[in-house]
Amino acid sequence: MSREVILSARDLVKHYPIRTGVLRRTTGQVRAVAGVSFDLYKGETLGIVGESGCGKSTLGRLLVQLERPTSGRLAFGGTVEDLDAGAPDVVDMVAADGNRLRQLRRDVQIVFQDPYTSLNPRKTVGDIIQEPFDIHPAVEPRQGRRRRVQELLELVGLNPEHINRYPHQFSGGQRQRIGIARGIALNPKVLVCDEPVSALDVSVQAQVVNLMERLQDELGLSYVFVAHDLSVVRHISDRVGVMYLGSMVELGDEEQIYERPTHPYTQALLSAVPVPDPTLRGRREEIVLSGDVPSPANPPSGCRFHTRCWKAQDVCAVEPPPLAPRPDGVSAHDSACHFAEPRTIVETVDVS
Amino acid sequence: MSETLQGAGRPVPAESSWTPVDGRLLDVEDLFVEFRTRDGVAKAINGVSFSLDEGETLAVLGESGSGKSVTAQAIMGILDSPPGFITGGRIRYCGTDLLGLTEKQRREVRGPEISMIFQDALSSLNPVFPVGWQIAEMLRVHRGANRSDAREGAIRLMERVNIPAARQRVNAFPHQFSGGMRQRIMIAMAIALDPAVLIADEPTTALDVTVQAQIMALLAELQEERRMGLILITHDLGVVADVADRIAVMYAGRLVETADVHPIYAAPAHPYTKGLLASIPRLDQKGQELSAIGGLPPNLTRIPPGCPFNPRCPYAQDVCRHDPPPPLIEVRPGRRSACHFTDRVLADSEVEFDHTHPGAQEEGR
């Protein structure tokens, strides 16, 4: 994997106003994403995991510009630092408008979670996949579009003859393939996948995961893979970011996160995942977190995890720990904890 | 009589008229259910037999449309009819066939004897009544408890399922609770009458993993405490491995494999089970190849002839396509599989699944 950065985020923030009363006055802010920074490298898969409400989907929507950030920087084609240094071919995603923005939308596409609601039921599959070309006509001349759609259908493992069918004539797994075909129609460089397999049956999940891995190899795509299923994320990701209440609490290689997690939240999350092996029953270390995730409208002071953390000290309630490289026993990787230390939660077996 | 209910209304007979026969609570025999819809008859359950003992956890594993939830609804007697019809079989509870009872008799079983937790707590709870009132309803209706006793009973139940500040929150409405707390309220309702059998239909599917762990721990604790028989309906092979004693795998309305939990993970005997285990990513493995099961689960109005799994099965031969579906027969003591080639599958599994966890070999084999 080349270490060339394709997309870069710095201190990304997204607040949603809470409006109450007849005057709809803003009485508070939901801090959905509260200062997230990362780089996405070319050809890699960056997994984003966390529980519901942690801001991972909002982050995905910010990356494809479905939402505008409240503050923070986003660069495409290089890092934010490259952008400030005036490097050519690096685009400021937040400032982009007009043609720049249209080009960006071609380059960064999204696949949605729910294949049942994300496809227009009144349009045929052909129309759905062709729609991106109607908006970006330069990608494919009009005469070639129908054939291109059929190629795309074939690429994602569907029968090209089904081009005139409607979404309801397909199963969930097939619909998700249609969503993926639409996502790759414009030859994007980055594909943001928001829970792409969570709505699918277990026996179909593997088909779609394998398809996504094949497409990545064939098309050289970079993925941001947002999901709550830590097993799927481990399988598909090169690097993984763990989010809690709008912040990235740990970021590292798949191996660093799963084998040498240093943040207590990551450790608790990993320990809660059931492993399909009854011989491990009672032998797995389980860290049970008490309580629920606090409201993002009123997050705790300091480290946002301190209210549920067994390691919390006075400093944690005051000073938010920065996401910085901290030793994990073998090397060092980014973790946002004052008391970060590695702990083996998952006994990993290499079966490759 | 558990302590939960003391003081919650008039005393009920200490010994109910239901006593398990040799520890056997539930016996489902050759059950058939179909749905008569405009698009044709969907054969949702096609001859399912299993049993449940006191204190046992049976996991019913299957994908959507495999008939696992319909089985639960048939046992509970809450199948929507029409369009659903039980067209054959028996459901014996403590020796009595529930299907032969009148609706009034059925109500005396549903709740006090067999009760159920549903997947989606938000849509299962009534949004316009306080949660405490909804829990107390069980005690008022079935036990004839008065309002204040029932309310006290509801608070005790909420405390039992670890809802913090139960007394303050007894008058709160479902939307004021988080998903995990709502599922706890569902559990409180389900155990209110101290049932002998608890059916949990995908109890944690809508929840985050950390909350899932809390809920599964609570269920295990309650089961231990009350010696309940638990039927856990799920598609999650991880959850099953953690809690089940026995597993029944369903496909297209049939049981395709039943076994104790250890042998089935060590070496599945049916191609569908084998395919499922090979297709899920594992948290504790890296460099894993996912071998997906090709194709799709069948449409229940058009189940393919022969073995219903044959279009997706790597072992399928002509016999699988033409002969009637293979019966569920014993392949090893305590293990049953419905496959013409179950010996070959088992032999292959024993080789392929050998790379399980270190330490797996000394235990559970």
Side-chain angles (χ1 to χ4, degrees), chain A residues 292-305:
Chain A
D292 290 318
V293 183
S295 161
N298 186 20
S301 61
C303 169
R304 292 179 162 213
F305 187 58

Side-chain angles (χ1 to χ4, degrees), chain A residues 26-332:
Chain A
T26 303
T27 54
Q29 304 281 345
V30 173
R31 295 165 169 82
V33 174
V36 168
S37 305
F38 65 88
D39 290 328
L40 176 70
Y41 297 102
K42 260 184 196 160
E44 78 161 351
T45 301
L46 174 68
I48 305 284
V49 290
E51 297 180 281
S52 46
C54 72
K56 57 190 193 299
S57 289
T58 306
L59 178 63
R61 296 172 69 89
L62 285 169
L63 299 182
V64 288
Q65 318 235 22
L66 284 171
E67 303 277 359
R68 304 295 278 181
T70 307
S71 67
R73 313 279 311 272
L74 270 173
F76 182 81
T79 63
V80 170
E81 291 72 28
D82 292 341
L83 180 71
D84 290 339
D89 307 328
V90 184
V91 184
D92 185 336
M93 295 175 75
V94 180
D97 56 4
N99 277 336
R100 273 269 168 84
L101 184 59
R102 285 169 68 84
Q103 179 62 41
L104 270 176
R105 289 197 191 283
R106 272 173 55 178
D107 287 334
V108 188
Q109 283 283 321
I110 187 166
V111 175
F112 293 99
Q113 167 172 12
D114 186 351
Y116 294 87
T117 55
S118 60
L119 302 177
N120 188 335
R122 289 162 174 268
K123 288 190 168 176
T124 64
V125 167
D127 292 340
I128 289 171
I129 301 175
Q130 199 175 317
E131 199 174 9
F133 300 127
D134 299 338
I135 298 160
H136 302 276
V139 180
E140 187 72 39
R142 191 173 293 275
Q143 320 78 278
R145 286 182 198 163
R146 209 68 183 164
R147 222 187 47 234
R148 178 75 186 129
V149 169
Q150 289 186 323
E151 279 170 22
L152 284 164
L153 281 174
E154 199 156 10
L155 192 62
V156 297
L158 292 171
N159 187 342
E161 286 166 22
H162 293 169
I163 189 165
N164 288 322
R165 294 198 178 182
Y166 288 89
H168 74 264
Q169 293 171 293
F170 293 89
S171 70
Q174 290 172 324
R175 281 184 230 202
Q176 200 53 293
R177 288 170 192 265
I178 297 167
I180 292 170
R182 176 176 61 184
I184 60 174
L186 298 174
N187 306 318
K189 300 193 172 74
V190 175
L191 194 60
V192 175
C193 311
D194 186 3
E195 304 266 13
V197 298
S198 340
L200 305 178
D201 265 322
V202 268
S203 77
V204 179
Q205 238 182 40
Q207 296 173 6
V208 174
V209 169
N210 287 346
L211 167 69
M212 295 187 65
E213 290 187 320
R214 179 169 63 80
L215 290 176
Q216 182 167 41
D217 289 347
E218 285 174 16
L219 308 174
L221 289 163
S222 308
Y223 288 147
V224 176
F225 194 94
V226 176
H228 69 274
D229 186 327
L230 285 106
S231 310
V232 173
V233 167
R234 170 161 213 183
H235 179 79
I236 201 165
S237 302
D238 302 304
R239 286 191 311 140
V240 178
V242 182
M243 286 185 72
Y244 182 78
L245 263 187
S247 305
M248 192 81 89
V249 295
E250 193 161 359
L251 177 66
D253 293 349
E254 165 261 314
E255 211 174 272
Q256 292 168 332
I257 298 293
Y258 284 86
E259 292 175 32
R260 304 189 293 277
T262 63
H263 196 285
Y265 178 65
T266 311
Q267 294 165 357
L269 202 58
L270 286 172
S271 84
V273 179
V275 173
D277 186 348
T279 58
L280 299 177
R281 198 186 282 186
R283 296 169 14 135
R284 283 194 302 128
E285 188 174 10
E286 269 194 62
I287 306 167
V288 177
L289 288 181
S290 56
D292 290 318
V293 183
S295 161
N298 186 20
S301 61
C303 169
R304 292 179 162 213
F305 187 58
H306 85 263
T307 51
R308 304 172 76 195
C309 183
W310 64 95
K311 280 186 172 172
Q313 310 266 332
D314 292 345
V315 61
C316 302
V318 186
E319 203 179 310
L323 184 69
R326 296 170 203 262
D328 63 11
V330 176
S331 50

Side-chain angles (χ1 to χ4, degrees), chain B residues 117-197:
Chain B
I117 303 166
F118 298 90
Q119 169 175 1
D120 185 355
L122 187 57
S123 58
S124 308
L125 292 167
N126 190 328
V128 300
F129 288 105
V131 294
W133 192 90
Q134 295 184 54
I135 300 170
E137 185 177 23
M138 301 289 283
L139 305 171
R140 288 197 306 272
V141 171
H142 284 276
R143 295 267 152 85
N146 66 35
R147 286 177 81 114
S148 61
D149 286 348
R151 191 185 129 95
E152 286 304 311
I155 292 169
R156 263 197 301 278
L157 283 161
M158 284 171 71
E159 280 166 354
R160 181 61 202 89
V161 296
N162 306 331
I163 294 176
R167 191 166 290 278
Q168 285 83 52
R169 304 189 78 182
V170 66
N171 289 324
F173 290 87
H175 73 266
Q176 295 171 293
F177 289 86
S178 66
M181 286 298 148
R182 279 182 212 132
Q183 197 54 275
R184 286 170 196 271
I185 289 160
M186 292 288 297
I187 294 173
M189 282 171 80
I191 61 165
L193 302 173
D194 242 332
V197 175

Side-chain angles (χ1 to χ4, degrees), chain B residues 83-356:
Chain B
F85 295 92
I86 295 176
T87 52
R90 287 200 179 81
I91 300 171
R92 284 210 192 85
Y93 175 66
C94 295
T96 308
D97 186 4
L98 296 179
L99 301 178
L101 299 183
T102 63
E103 182 50 34
K104 186 163 174 294
Q105 290 169 317
R106 205 74 207 266
R107 286 189 67 167
E108 284 161 16
V109 176
R110 189 190 304 134
E113 300 299 327
I114 306 177
S115 107
M116 183 162 169
I117 303 166
F118 298 90
Q119 169 175 1
D120 185 355
L122 187 57
S123 58
S124 308
L125 292 167
N126 190 328
V128 300
F129 288 105
V131 294
W133 192 90
Q134 295 184 54
I135 300 170
E137 185 177 23
M138 301 289 283
L139 305 171
R140 288 197 306 272
V141 171
H142 284 276
R143 295 267 152 85
N146 66 35
R147 286 177 81 114
S148 61
D149 286 348
R151 191 185 129 95
E152 286 304 311
I155 292 169
R156 263 197 301 278
L157 283 161
M158 284 171 71
E159 280 166 354
R160 181 61 202 89
V161 296
N162 306 331
I163 294 176
R167 191 166 290 278
Q168 285 83 52
R169 304 189 78 182
V170 66
N171 289 324
F173 290 87
H175 73 266
Q176 295 171 293
F177 289 86
S178 66
M181 286 298 148
R182 279 182 212 132
Q183 197 54 275
R184 286 170 196 271
I185 289 160
M186 292 288 297
I187 294 173
M189 282 171 80
I191 61 165
L193 302 173
D194 242 332
V197 175
L198 183 62
I199 303 173
D201 187 1
E202 306 258 7
T204 58
T205 306
L207 306 176
D208 281 318
V209 275
T210 55
V211 183
Q212 166 173 288
Q214 294 169 2
I215 296 288
M216 290 316 297
L218 172 66
L219 277 177
E221 203 179 297
L222 289 170
Q223 187 197 18
E224 177 88 353
E225 175 183 305
R226 290 155 196 246
R227 296 278 304 147
M228 283 187 299
L230 178 64
I231 299 180
L232 180 70
I233 294 171
T234 183
H235 65 267
D236 189 326
L237 288 142
V239 171
V240 171
D242 259 358
V243 299
D245 298 316
R246 273 194 310 134
I247 297 181
V249 185
M250 286 192 80
Y251 187 80
R254 281 191 169 76
L255 289 183
V256 294
E257 181 165 5
T258 61
D260 287 343
V261 64
H262 285 288
I264 208 167
Y265 281 86
H270 192 279
Y272 175 62
T273 323
K274 184 166 175 274
L276 272 188
L277 282 169
S279 70
I280 45 164
R282 282 180 60 152
L283 188 73
D284 60 351
Q285 291 186 353
K286 66 174 175 188
Q288 184 189 5
E289 294 263 337
L290 297 188
S291 33
I293 305 178
L296 303 166
N299 182 333
L300 294 176
T301 59
R302 289 186 300 273
I303 296 176
C307 169
F309 188 59
N310 83 69
R312 307 175 73 188
C313 182
Y315 290 87
Q317 305 281 330
D318 277 350
V319 59
C320 307
R321 291 182 268 271
H322 303 306
D323 280 23
L328 193 64
I329 48 163
E330 189 150 58
V331 287
R332 293 273 191 284
R335 296 196 66 172
R336 289 162 180 276
S337 164
C339 176
H340 295 296
F341 301 104
T342 187
D343 288 327
R344 264 179 55 197
V345 180
L346 202 51
D348 287 354
S349 298
E350 275 161 3
V351 177
E352 286 167 41
F353 283 64
D354 211 24
H355 57 64
T356 42

